[in-house]
Amino acid sequence: MTTDTDKEQALIEALRGVTTATLTTVLLKKGLRNVWMRGAFPLQPGQPRIVGRAFTLRFVPAREDLATPASWSSPISTRAAIEAMPEGCICVADAMGITDAGIFGDILCARMKKRGVAALVTDGVVRDGAGVRGTGLPVWCNGVAAPPSVAGLTFVAWQEPVGCGGVAVFPGDMVVIDDDGAVLIPADLVEAVTEESVEQERLEGWIMTQVEEGVALPGLYPANAENKAKYEAWKTQSGQ
């Protein structure tokens, strides 16, 4: 019997083989143009592609009576939010694109790594850059800055809809990250997008073999009826 956990793992494994570039194309065909999170770049290039459900954090502009070092001990704090993160999630933090206040440093990232969080994605920045890299937590962000979060931001909530890099992210949406950035797949579309994206990757792989053999692009990419027939024959012959 296939369980929900098995289905989820199968989706994640399939998406690990799909580039974010392919995902944006498939999502575009479904009418979704705004799915790539601006300002979220790999802190350490060359990391494996990572897939997981979004666990959201929300910051607002700093307000002096709330954005204080004392707020770090509040029940509503980044520390408390980290303890609520499930294993395998991707933390998506809406930092409003602010780049002069680091939302997390090495200690918080180390705790996230210890809890099994798959990655951190933010349109803001982190602090303690070398230390964060040393934790081994994969991070996609807009750079590093020495000042703490309260220098420019107030943390207000977790597991609410957020806007990260100009993209609406809801808790439970699927996030895929690689060297090209971070892409969101709406939760209700994950299965359909995964199936279409896997097929698109397979088709483009075949197209690349044709290009390497010297075939001209018109009629090949995108494939016309003749080349689609050749592709289907290749799939049948190769057992794809």
Side-chain angles (χ1 to χ4, degrees):
M1 178 183 295
T2 302
T3 66
D4 289 342
T5 301
D6 293 334
K7 290 180 180 178
E8 179 76 358
Q9 192 57 40
L11 287 170
I12 289 173
E13 288 299 327
L15 286 169
R16 283 181 180 142
V18 177
T19 67
T20 54
T22 291
L23 288 172
T24 59
T25 300
V26 171
L27 287 161
L28 178 63
K29 292 176 181 177
K30 293 185 175 297
L32 281 83
R33 298 175 180 272
N34 189 31
V35 295
W36 181 77
M37 298 178 215
R38 301 158 188 83
F41 305 107
L43 186 63
Q44 188 78 30
Q47 299 173 109
R49 186 171 297 114
I50 300 171
V51 183
R53 297 284 179 173
F55 184 102
T56 62
L57 305 183
R58 185 162 67 92
F59 291 84
V60 297
R63 207 178 77 180
E64 286 75 8
D65 61 325
L66 299 175
T68 66
S71 69
W72 294 332
S73 299
S74 166
I76 300 177
S77 66
T78 52
R79 281 72 170 161
I82 288 171
E83 298 308 314
M85 294 177 187
E87 183 177 357
C89 75
I90 291 181
C91 173
V92 179
D94 171 11
M96 305 175 57
I98 289 177
T99 58
D100 58 359
I103 63 165
F104 287 116
D106 53 357
I107 293 176
L108 272 64
C109 287
R111 180 58 181 161
M112 291 169 70
K113 177 70 173 177
K114 192 71 172 179
R115 286 191 56 79
V117 174
L120 166 65
V121 174
T122 181
D123 55 1
V125 299
V126 295
R127 61 199 301 241
D128 305 314
V132 169
R133 293 184 186 93
T135 68
L137 178 73
V139 174
W140 269 247
C141 64
N142 204 12
V144 297
S149 61
V150 293
L153 293 162
T154 301
F155 179 71
V156 292
W158 64 87
Q159 286 299 73
E160 292 183 356
V162 300
C164 183
V167 176
V169 183
F170 287 71
D173 286 340
M174 192 73 86
V175 178
V176 181
I177 46 180
D178 60 19
D179 274 349
D180 286 353
V183 169
L184 170 133
I185 307 172
D188 291 344
L189 297 179
V190 171
E191 290 189 26
V193 168
T194 300
E195 182 178 351
E196 292 180 34
S197 297
V198 169
E199 173 61 17
Q200 183 69 24
E201 288 279 5
R202 185 184 296 117
L203 170 60
E204 292 190 4
W206 176 81
I207 289 172
M208 184 61 78
T209 66
Q210 300 304 294
V211 170
E212 290 171 351
E213 291 176 10
V215 178
L217 290 179
L220 176 65
Y221 185 61
N224 58 19
E226 179 183 355
N227 278 305
K228 285 180 180 177
K230 289 181 179 178
Y231 168 64
E232 292 298 331
W234 170 80
K235 278 204 304 182
T236 299
Q237 183 178 7
S238 61
Q240 294 288 321

